Amino acid sequence: MPIELSTENGKIIVTDEVIAVLAGSAALECYGLVGMASRKQLKDGIAELLGRENLSRGVEVRRENDRLDIDLHIIVSYGTKISVVANNVQTKVKYILNDVVGLHVDDVHIFVQGVRVAR
């Protein structure tokens, strides 16, 4: 179900797919992030690294009542502090969706699916 925003010029309808792509793009701008991981189960204990064309597959948009929650499944770079990278991703995604797009995001949940050496 898309989100409707009313402006003085009319209505803007934003789908969950657009929100997921925006959140994934914002996350990839953060230092220490190798990429997005698939939301599916791990294959043989290894998280599947997604390319830029599949950003929304690593993001889940959940809406209950008036709440908008974002779940991000990420892979971080080896040698970075995971808690700092996760906090930076949360802050960046929330800023982009709240202040730039105009959506009110309640929570951004980070699921670190793996650690990889950045190339």
Side-chain angles (χ1 to χ4, degrees):
M1 183 173 158
I3 294 176
E4 268 189 38
L5 303 172
S6 296
T7 66
E8 68 245 8
N9 296 325
K11 291 183 182 179
I12 299 170
I13 298 173
V14 183
T15 64
D16 288 349
E17 179 73 17
V18 172
I19 295 169
V21 170
L22 288 170
S25 297
L28 281 181
E29 293 178 5
C30 295
Y31 175 79
L33 193 72
V34 174
M36 303 300 290
S38 176
R39 289 179 287 169
K40 299 177 190 173
Q41 291 293 82
L42 300 175
K43 289 184 179 178
D44 299 325
I46 299 173
E48 177 188 358
L49 182 64
L50 301 173
R52 281 200 164 278
E53 65 278 354
N54 296 325
L55 288 177
S56 63
R57 281 184 40 208
V59 180
E60 184 178 351
V61 178
R62 292 182 292 120
R63 285 188 279 135
E64 299 170 14
N65 302 328
D66 290 337
R67 292 184 56 85
L68 176 62
D69 295 336
I70 309 288
D71 293 344
L72 293 164
H73 300 265
I74 64 172
I75 298 175
V76 298
S77 176
Y78 178 79
T80 58
K81 192 168 184 178
I82 294 173
S83 61
V84 172
V85 173
N87 186 41
N88 288 343
V89 170
Q90 284 176 320
T91 304
K92 178 77 171 187
V93 168
K94 201 163 187 178
Y95 168 75
I96 292 293
L97 292 177
N98 284 346
D99 295 342
V100 175
V101 179
L103 302 174
H104 176 70
V105 178
D106 294 298
D107 292 321
V108 177
H109 303 282
I110 304 294
F111 298 92
V112 179
Q113 299 285 86
V115 177
R116 299 256 171 95
V117 176
R119 295 181 182 189

